[in-house]
C-alpha cells in the first residue's frame, strides 16, 4: 500500500466507511480509484451492475410513499443534521477530495464548505416551498397552485466536483420530498462512499426516515444507463460532457421523464478599455488556472480590446510562467495535476492545433514534480490567436486560455456568443453602459453573466446552469427547487353557484 493509499484508507475509516466497502465483488470486477497526484491506486471498490442500480431505484421508490408525507420542515431537519456532519468532518472529507480529485487544499475545503452552504440554504427552503394564490374570474372561487414531491431523483455526478454537485441536488431533493439515488464518477468513488457514510450518520440521528431513502450506486456507464431508463426515476440530474447529455436526453424524453443537465462550458470574458487591469489579472488568473482548468465554468476565451491588450496580456503571461504547479497538498501550490493521461493528451493536442492555426503558446509544458512521477502536471497555457479559430471554438477540459484582440464591443459580444456552449461569462469594464449592454438581452447569451469578476466561483444562492449545449438545467439556489417538485393548479368553489370560465353556458335540468 502506497503512502497516499494509506492516507486515503485512514480518512475513509474516520469518515465512517466500512473496510468491507473497499473489497471488489469478484476478482477483476471492481472500480480502481487512482490518485491524480501520482497516478497510483488508492483503493478498489465493488462495481455495481445494472441490476444493482435497478434494486437501488426500487428501494428508493418504496421510500417515496412515506417520505412525501413527512412535513417539509421535518425533512429539512435531516438536511440540517447532514450539514452538522459535514462541519464536523470537513477537514477529512476535503483531504479525501484532494487525494482523489487532485484539488489544492483550499479548493478541497471550499468544495466541502459549498456542501455545508447548500444544506443551510435547503433547511431554510424547507419552510418556503410555497405556491401562488391566483386571481380568478369566478365569484366565490379561489384558485391557487400547490407543489408536491416529484419522486425518485437520480444524481449522476462528475469527477471535478465529486461531492458538491451531489449536495446541490441531494439537499434540495430531500427537503422537496424526493428519495435520491447517486451514481458518482467512476474516477471518484471514494469521496462518494465517504459522503454517503456521513449521510448515513445523519439518517441514524434523524431516527425515522424510511429505509431506502438515499442510495449509492458506484458503477460504470451501464449502471448509469439503468438509472436513466428506469420508469420509476422521475428526474435525472446529470453533470458531465455535452456528448453525455446528448445520449441521456433522448432516452429521458422517450419516457417523458425530467432532465436536469449540466454539461460543458466554453466560457468567455471581454476586457474593455476602462477595465481595472490589476483586478482583471487576478480574476482571469483564478478563473483560467484554478482547479487546473477542470471546472465547467473555467475561463477559456479572453477577448481583449486593442487599447488595453499590451498592458494586460504581458502581465498574464508572467503570471502563467510563475504560478506554482505541483503536489496539491503542498503549501503554496495553486495548480495541481490533471485528472489523468487522457486529459493531458487532450491538452497537448489542442495546443498543437492552436500552433498550426498561427497561435503563440506561452506555457503548456510538462512539469516534473518530485515524488509524483505518475501524475500529469502541466503548466497552464496562454495562447495568443489571430482570431477565434480551431480549438478555441471547442471546450478542452484543461488549463488553456485563448486570447484574441477586438476593436468594438459589438464585435466582442458577437465573438463571445459564437460558440455552442452558453454556461458562464464575464465583462471587465468601469463603463456602466458597457456593463449593462453585456447583461442585456443583446449581450451575453449565457446562463451566468458577471461584471468585474471571472465566470467561475458561483455561489449557492443563485441558480447555476447555462443555455445551448450546456443543457439548460438549473441547480442550487434561487427557485431551482421547482425542478424537484410537481405543480398542481387548484380551484375551489366555496359558493352555491357554478359559473364557468370564459362565460361558457351549459345549463341542464
Amino acid at each position: 500500500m502506497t503512502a497516499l493509499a494509506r492516507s486515503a484508507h485512514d480518512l475513509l475509516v474516520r469518515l465512517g466507511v466500512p473496510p468491507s466497502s473497499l473489497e471488489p465483488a469478484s476478482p477483476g470486477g471492481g472500480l480502481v480509484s487512482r490518485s491524480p497526484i501520482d497516478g497510483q491506486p488508492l483503493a478498489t471498490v465493488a462495481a455495481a451492475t445494472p441490476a444493482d442500480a435497478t434494486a437501488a431505484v426500487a428501494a428508493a421508490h418504496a421510500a417515496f410513499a412515506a417520505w412525501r408525507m413527512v412535513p417539509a420542515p421535518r425533512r429539512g431537519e435531516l438536511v440540517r443534521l447532514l450539514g452538522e456532519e459535514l462541519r464536523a468532518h470537513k477537514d477529512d472529507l476535503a483531504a479525501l477530495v484532494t487525494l482523489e480529485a487532485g484539488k489544492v487544499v483550499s479548493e478541497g475545503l471550499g468544495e466541502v464548505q459549498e456542501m455545508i452552504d447548500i444544506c443551510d440554504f435547503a433547511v431554510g427552503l424547507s419552510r418556503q416551498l410555497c405556491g401562488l394564490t391566483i386571481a380568478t374570474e369566478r365569484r366565490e372561487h379561489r384558485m391557487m397552485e400547490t407543489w408536491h414531491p416529484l419522486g425518485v431523483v437520480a444524481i449522476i455526478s462528475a469527477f471535478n466536483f465529486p461531492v458538491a454537485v451531489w449536495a446541490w441536488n441531494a439537499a434540495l431533493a430531500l427537503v422537496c420530498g424526493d428519495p435520491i439515488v447517486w451514481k458518482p464518477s467512476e474516477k471518484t468513488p471514494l469521496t462518494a462512499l465517504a459522503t454517503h457514510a456521513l449521510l448515513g450518520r445523519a439518517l441514524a440521528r434523524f431516527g425515522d426516515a424510511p429505509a431506502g431513502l438515499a442510495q449509492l450506486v458506484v458503477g460504470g456507464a451501464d449502471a448509469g444507463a439503468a438509472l436513466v431508463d428506469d420508469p420509476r426515476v422521475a428526474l435525472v440530474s446529470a453533470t458531465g460532457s455535452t456528448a453525455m447529455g446528448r445520449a441521456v436526453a433522448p432516452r429521458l424524453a422517450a419516457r417523458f421523464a425530467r432532465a436536469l443537465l449540466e454539461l460543458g462550458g466554453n466560457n468567455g470574458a471581454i476586457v474593455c478599455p476602462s477595465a481595472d487591469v490589476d483586478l482583471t489579472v487576478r480574476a482571469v488568473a483564478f478563473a483560467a488556472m484554478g482547479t487546473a482548468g477542470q471546472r465547467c465554468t473555467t475561463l477559456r476565451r479572453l477577448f481583449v480590446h486593442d487599447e488595453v491588450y499590451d498592458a494586460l496580456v504581458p502581465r498574464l503571461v508572467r503570471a502563467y510562467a510563475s504560478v506554482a504547479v505541483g503536489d496539491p497538498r503542498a503549501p503554496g501550490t495553486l495548480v495541481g495535476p490533471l485528472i489523468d493521461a487522457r486529459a493531458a493528451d487532450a491538452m497537448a493536442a489542442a495546443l498543437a492545433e492552436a500552433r498550426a492555426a498561427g497561435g503563440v503558446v506561452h506555457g503548456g509544458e510538462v512539469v516534473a514534480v518530485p515524488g509524483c512521477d505518475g501524475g500529469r502536471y502541466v503548466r497552464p497555457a496562454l495562447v495568443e490567436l489571430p482570431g477565434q479559430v480551431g480549438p478555441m471554438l471547442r471546450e478542452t477540459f484543461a488549463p488553456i486560455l485563448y486570447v484574441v484582440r477586438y476593436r468594438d464591443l459589438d464585435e466582442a459580444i458577437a465573438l463571445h456568443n459564437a460558440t455552442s456552449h452558453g454556461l458562464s461569462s464575464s465583462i471587465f469594464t468601469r463603463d456602466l453602459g458597457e456593463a449593462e449592454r453585456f447583461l442585456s438581452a443583446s449581450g451575453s447569451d449565457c446562463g451566468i453573466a458577471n461584471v468585474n469578476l471571472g465566470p467561475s466561483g458561483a455561489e449557492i444562492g443563485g441558480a447555476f446552469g447555462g443555455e445551448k449545449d450546456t443543457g439548460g438545467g438549473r441547480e442550487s439556489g434561487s427557485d431551482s427547487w421547482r425542478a424537484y417538485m410537481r405543480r398542481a393548479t387548484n380551484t375551489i368553489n366555496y359558493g352555491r353557484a357554478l359559473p364557468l370560465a370564459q362565460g361558457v353556458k351549459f345549463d341542464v335540468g
Side-chain angles (χ1 to χ4, degrees):
M1 181 182 290
T2 67
L4 287 182
R6 192 174 300 107
S7 295
H9 181 272
D10 293 344
L11 290 168
L12 288 164
V13 169
R14 290 204 296 269
L15 289 162
V17 177
S20 59
S21 299
L22 306 180
E23 298 293 333
S26 61
L31 281 177
V32 179
S33 170
R34 294 182 179 276
S35 176
I37 294 174
D38 63 359
Q40 296 303 306
L42 293 174
T44 302
V45 180
T49 64
D52 294 327
T54 299
V57 173
H61 184 67
F64 178 56
W67 190 242
R68 66 186 174 184
M69 299 306 296
V70 175
R74 173 64 179 156
R75 300 194 297 250
E77 173 65 7
L78 172 59
V79 176
R80 187 188 70 81
L81 293 171
L82 172 60
E84 285 188 353
E85 294 294 336
L86 291 168
R87 282 183 170 87
H89 299 88
K90 177 179 176 179
D91 289 349
D92 282 347
L93 184 56
L96 191 60
V97 168
T98 292
L99 289 182
E100 193 172 41
K103 291 191 173 186
V104 300
V105 171
S106 67
E107 290 194 25
L109 289 166
E111 178 158 359
V112 182
Q113 185 60 50
E114 194 165 349
M115 302 172 76
I116 295 167
D117 292 345
I118 196 63
C119 286
D120 287 349
F121 179 92
V123 172
L125 180 65
S126 69
R127 295 181 181 271
Q128 299 176 8
L129 299 173
C130 52
L132 301 173
T133 297
I134 304 166
T136 173
E137 66 190 67
R138 288 171 283 186
R139 185 185 296 272
E140 296 184 314
H141 282 58
R142 180 164 65 90
M143 185 162 57
M144 62 183 182
E145 65 179 25
T146 53
W147 292 85
H148 301 294
L150 179 64
V152 176
V153 173
I155 304 166
I156 300 174
S157 59
F159 78 86
N160 59 327
F161 279 85
V163 289
V165 171
W166 170 83
W168 288 0
N169 287 276
L172 296 191
L174 289 170
V175 300
C176 288
D178 303 327
I180 54 176
V181 181
W182 182 16
K183 210 292 283 185
S185 168
E186 298 96 311
K187 297 177 182 179
T188 53
L190 303 185
T191 49
L193 287 170
T195 301
H196 194 66
L198 294 180
L199 177 56
R201 292 183 179 185
L203 284 163
R205 293 171 61 195
F206 184 78
D208 59 353
L213 180 63
Q215 299 289 313
L216 177 63
V217 176
V218 177
D222 55 350
L227 298 179
V228 169
D229 293 336
D230 197 306
R232 296 166 296 186
V233 175
L235 167 66
V236 173
S237 177
T239 302
S241 68
T242 297
M244 180 274 291
R246 286 204 174 97
V248 166
R251 296 166 78 155
L252 295 174
R255 61 180 184 86
F256 301 109
R258 292 195 195 180
L260 202 169
L261 301 177
E262 297 289 356
L263 309 176
N266 193 6
N267 312 292
I270 297 171
V271 183
C272 298
S274 65
D276 180 325
V277 173
D278 289 340
L279 180 149
T280 303
V281 168
R282 296 196 305 273
V284 168
F286 169 70
M289 294 189 280
T291 324
Q294 298 172 122
R295 289 181 179 231
C296 52
T297 53
T298 290
L299 177 61
R300 308 193 186 283
R301 299 177 299 133
L302 189 65
F303 305 97
V304 184
H305 194 278
D306 271 338
E307 293 181 15
V308 73
Y309 192 98
D310 292 337
L312 174 67
V313 174
R315 290 186 58 180
L316 287 173
V317 170
R318 291 195 294 272
Y320 270 64
S322 63
V323 70
V325 179
D327 187 330
R329 299 167 298 169
T333 296
L334 295 180
V335 177
L338 293 172
I339 189 66
D340 55 23
R342 183 177 178 182
D345 291 344
M347 180 174 178
L351 292 179
E353 186 179 352
R355 289 187 182 95
V360 177
V361 177
H362 306 275
E365 65 272 13
V366 173
V367 176
V369 178
C372 303
D373 294 343
R376 302 292 174 160
Y377 295 86
V378 181
R379 181 160 296 283
L382 185 149
V383 182
E384 297 180 81
L385 279 174
Q388 184 166 240
V389 295
M392 189 172 178
L393 290 165
R394 302 189 308 272
E395 178 191 38
T396 300
F397 217 58
I400 304 175
L401 177 64
Y402 302 103
V403 185
V404 169
R405 292 177 182 264
Y406 78 93
R407 292 175 297 278
D408 174 78
L409 183 59
D410 286 343
E411 172 197 6
I413 291 175
L415 287 168
H416 175 276
N417 292 348
T419 60
S420 60
H421 294 99
L423 178 51
S424 193
S425 59
S426 297
I427 190 169
F428 293 90
T429 180
R430 292 298 179 188
D431 184 305
L432 180 61
E434 290 175 336
E436 291 292 345
R437 168 70 197 287
F438 185 73
L439 301 181
S440 75
S442 64
S444 168
D445 63 357
C446 294
I448 300 169
N450 297 330
V451 176
N452 292 328
L453 68 158
S456 60
E459 295 183 41
I460 58 90
F464 181 91
E467 303 299 326
K468 301 191 291 188
D469 280 3
T470 300
R474 293 297 186 273
E475 293 175 321
S476 191
S478 186
D479 65 348
S480 298
W481 61 270
R482 294 173 183 239
Y484 304 87
M485 304 195 82
R486 62 178 179 85
R487 183 195 330 232
T489 301
N490 313 126
T491 304
I492 301 168
N493 179 358
Y494 57 89
R496 303 288 294 178
L498 189 66
L500 302 179
Q502 295 87 46
V504 173
K505 301 296 184 182
F506 195 87
D507 294 327
V508 296

